[in-house]
Amino acid sequence: MQDFAEAFLFAFRQIAGLDPDLLEIIGLSLRVSLAATLVSCLVGLPIGALVAVSRFPGRAGVIVIMNALMGLPPVVVGLFVYLNLSRAGPLGWMGLLYTPAAMVIAQSILISPIVAALSRQVLEDLFNEYREQFASFALSRLAQVRAILWDGRYSLITVALAAFGRSAAEVGAVIIVGGNIEHLTRVMTTAIALETSKGDLPLAMALGIVLLILALGVNALVSALRLTAARYAYA
Amino acid sequence: MPMHDRVLPFPTTTGPATVPAVHALACRGLNYGAGGKALIDGVDLEFCRDGITAIIGFNGAGKSLLLRLLHGLIEPAGGAVTWSGRPIDAGIRARQAMVFQKPVLLRRSVAANIDFALKARGRDRPGRREELLDHVGLSALAGRPARLLSGGEQQRLALARALACAPEVLFLDEATASLDPSSVLAIETIVRSASTGGTKIIMITHDVGQARRLASEIVFLHAGKVVEQADAAAFFANPATPAARAYLDGQIVNGN
Ligand SMILES: Nc1ncnc2c1ncn2[C@@H]1O[C@H](COP(=O)(O)OP(=O)(O)OP(=O)(O)O)[C@@H](O)[C@H]1O
Ligand SMILES: [Mg+2]
């Protein structure tokens, strides 16, 4: 217990002292997660919007699959990306394995379905509400999609935040394709996993605290957005 | 406009006996059903290019459905709606506008709701939005989120947004249902001036006084069938069917 308290103190000292190693790890975590969030929005939003506003045979099946993909096991995604990026794999020539780019790819695959499935739900509800009015305006399909993307902006930002949170907290995929290499691919979650197993509790705890604060911050932002949207009846 | 003061047999599947000289919007043999029940049942109508037509009838008679069919928002199970002989499509709909029974407002400000319609129809010009908002008495609320407006204010915004489309036909589904008396009169003035300006008005109302004040023609719908299409003065002086008489007398009649 003595050890534990000491580790805790040390962790706080590291955070308060803005330890450069700590900052480097946090910085990479944020950059990887933000990049993955950006990619997942670029991929997931158009898919979500398209499915939301179109009717085609097999649509219900597509939605089931989209929802199921939200639960992709991270280690399986990590393995899949590893196999593709490893020297013998089809994309091995790019030399991306054990780089932040590989981590962004794995994270993007993990969270794109989240963005696609959640935004599909948000946009479909909006679309159903607006459908007749849009038809009355004789709007083109593209104009309809633009309008629901704008009117759903608060909910869509919430979706992006959820994806960001998932990616920042994820460890299984990035540890496989990133390898937790110091000063290169070490992010908060992989550092916690490995430092803990090595017995370096203070660093692991410091990172754990930062990760918790990040999760709290994201959720606070989501709540603030919800409140703002509700205040203006935009939700 | 010729008087077509006639009464259709009840129920009817035949078209009008006399036909107005000019007509733009028409429907023939219109059917619509749900769950095996006919909700719109063999409706034939021809509308003059101008004037105000009021569609009246009991709750559940099918008035809102008929308006949706006429605007081409839902596909009829049988029959067709035509505009100068052409089947209705998005291009024709773009020359019409509709105010729904429950206004559907965008999650934007009052002003942005008007702008949206102006842009959708390519009728955006400086000052037009202010003109429209002033018209319906919403100038002071231009910056408000539209969905925070009161029910009556929302209806007025929906009307202004429909007028922003500069439609040739304006469909109004109980557009004054939740307005206070002075707003009702203000909206009636707007509707009348739109009609004078050449817009054909096809409106649903439960306000018999309003139908009397505004309409040149009455369509009485009963259980999905048009049982009377008549000149307004003649209709009110002498409603020809028991259902219409019961409606005007304020009796509750089971539509089915
Ligand atoms: N999609 C639908 N499925 C099943 N029934 C429907 C559907 N839409 C409308 N109806 C039924 O059709 C009938 C006519 O509806 P409609 O909304 O046209 O009535 P209305 O004449 O406008 O009545 P009100 O005066 O109350 O507005 C109602 O009995 C309604 O329940
Ligand atoms: Mg109705």
Side-chain angles (χ1 to χ4, degrees):
Chain A
M1 217 54 229
Q2 177 73 20
D3 274 5
F4 191 77
E6 249 170 52
F8 213 68
L9 260 177
F10 182 79
F12 268 111
R13 232 177 283 129
Q14 263 188 325
I15 295 171
L18 300 178
D19 177 75
D21 280 352
L22 191 77
L23 288 185
E24 188 186 7
I25 294 170
I26 296 170
L28 184 66
S29 267
L30 292 180
R31 270 183 288 136
V32 167
S33 297
L34 281 174
T37 305
L38 192 72
V39 172
S40 70
C41 286
L42 289 176
V43 174
L45 265 185
I47 294 176
L50 199 71
V51 176
V53 304
S54 35
R55 300 287 172 270
F56 51 88
R59 182 172 179 276
V62 169
I63 291 172
V64 169
I65 291 171
M66 281 168 74
N67 290 337
L69 286 177
M70 285 202 290
L72 274 180
V75 284
V76 175
V77 171
L79 180 63
F80 170 79
V81 175
Y82 177 92
L83 291 175
N84 277 282
L85 295 184
S86 69
R87 198 150 300 163
L91 302 175
W93 54 272
M94 295 172 88
L96 290 179
L97 198 61
Y98 302 132
T99 65
M103 299 158 78
V104 172
I105 292 171
Q107 296 281 33
S108 299
I109 293 174
L110 261 179
I111 62 176
S112 289
I114 296 180
V115 173
L118 295 182
S119 64
R120 198 274 309 167
Q121 186 65 60
V122 165
L123 294 172
E124 188 170 324
D125 290 349
L126 262 183
F127 182 67
N128 285 337
E129 188 189 329
Y130 288 172
R131 190 202 307 260
E132 283 208 319
Q133 185 65 59
F134 282 171
S136 176
F137 281 142
L139 286 188
S140 70
R141 204 27 78 92
L142 186 67
Q144 299 189 15
V145 169
R146 278 218 310 261
I148 55 173
L149 282 176
W150 178 250
D151 275 31
R153 60 200 178 276
Y154 284 98
S155 309
L156 293 176
I157 293 172
T158 304
V159 168
L161 282 171
F164 174 80
R166 168 87 198 263
S167 126
E170 192 283 325
V171 60
V174 285
I175 210 161
I176 294 177
V177 302
N180 190 43
I181 302 166
E182 203 170 0
H183 303 308
L184 184 59
T185 59
R186 180 163 296 181
V187 290
M188 288 194 268
T189 52
T190 59
I192 292 172
L194 266 96
E195 299 312 308
T196 304
S197 64
K198 275 177 16 193
D200 184 357
L201 287 184
L203 181 61
M205 286 177 67
L207 289 167
I209 291 165
V210 173
L211 205 50
L212 273 177
I213 291 171
L214 187 70
L216 276 175
V218 167
N219 277 294
L221 212 55
V222 168
S223 302
L225 273 169
R226 289 237 168 89
L227 280 176
T228 311
R231 174 143 13 96
Y232 295 111
Y234 287 163
Chain B
M1 168 184 131
M3 305 267 274
H4 38 288
D5 169 21
R6 349 127 271 108
V7 169
L8 303 177
F10 169 60
T12 179
T13 50
T14 56
T18 57
V19 173
V22 196
H23 50 262
L25 191 66
C27 65
R28 196 145 279 282
L30 214 53
N31 281 309
Y32 188 85
K37 194 167 169 288
L39 299 171
I40 294 292
D41 194 356
V43 167
D44 295 310
L45 285 169
E46 275 159 3
F47 296 95
C48 295
R49 208 181 274 279
D50 53 10
I52 300 178
T53 301
I55 301 175
I56 62 177
F58 293 99
N59 288 139
K63 303 179 299 295
S64 295
L65 278 177
L66 178 59
L67 220 58
R68 283 190 165 86
L69 285 162
L70 291 173
H71 192 27
L73 295 177
I74 48 179
E75 281 289 314
V81 178
T82 55
W83 164 275
S84 293
R86 282 202 296 141
I88 201 121
D89 60 16
I92 291 170
R93 217 162 28 244
R95 293 160 65 179
Q96 310 175 333
M98 175 153 167
V99 175
F100 292 87
Q101 190 163 3
K102 291 184 212 125
V104 181
L105 298 176
L106 298 176
R107 287 158 172 75
R108 307 175 189 201
S109 70
V110 169
N113 266 273
I114 302 280
D115 290 347
F116 188 84
L118 287 172
K119 290 210 183 77
R121 296 295 175 86
R123 303 206 171 257
D124 208 5
R125 61 174 168 76
R128 180 67 180 139
R129 177 221 294 162
E130 288 72 18
E131 229 171 79
L132 286 160
L133 286 178
D134 187 49
H135 217 43
V136 297
L138 289 178
S139 299
L141 303 179
R144 278 265 202 101
R147 296 162 75 92
L148 291 184
L149 298 183
S150 76
E153 289 163 348
Q154 293 200 10
Q155 279 196 321
R156 272 145 62 188
L157 176 56
L159 179 64
R161 203 175 54 176
L163 291 171
C165 299
E168 289 171 48
V169 179
L170 176 58
F171 297 101
L172 302 173
D173 194 346
E174 299 189 34
T176 59
S178 46
L179 300 188
D180 58 59
S182 62
S183 301
V184 169
L185 293 182
I187 295 300
E188 286 180 9
T189 307
I190 293 168
V191 169
R192 211 177 278 117
S193 81
S195 169
T196 313
T199 299
K200 168 70 188 179
I201 312 280
I202 301 178
M203 59 186 290
I204 295 172
T205 182
H206 281 301
D207 181 343
V208 174
Q210 179 170 72
R212 279 180 197 275
R213 285 190 294 275
L214 290 181
S216 50
E217 178 190 51
I218 302 291
V219 169
F220 190 83
L221 198 66
H222 190 63
K225 295 186 173 73
V226 172
V227 297
E228 296 193 44
Q229 180 181 18
D231 176 81
F235 175 84
F236 288 117
N238 184 25
T241 54
R245 271 197 297 277
Y247 183 87
L248 293 178
D249 290 348
Q251 295 169 13
I252 292 181
V253 164
N254 184 357
N256 310 304

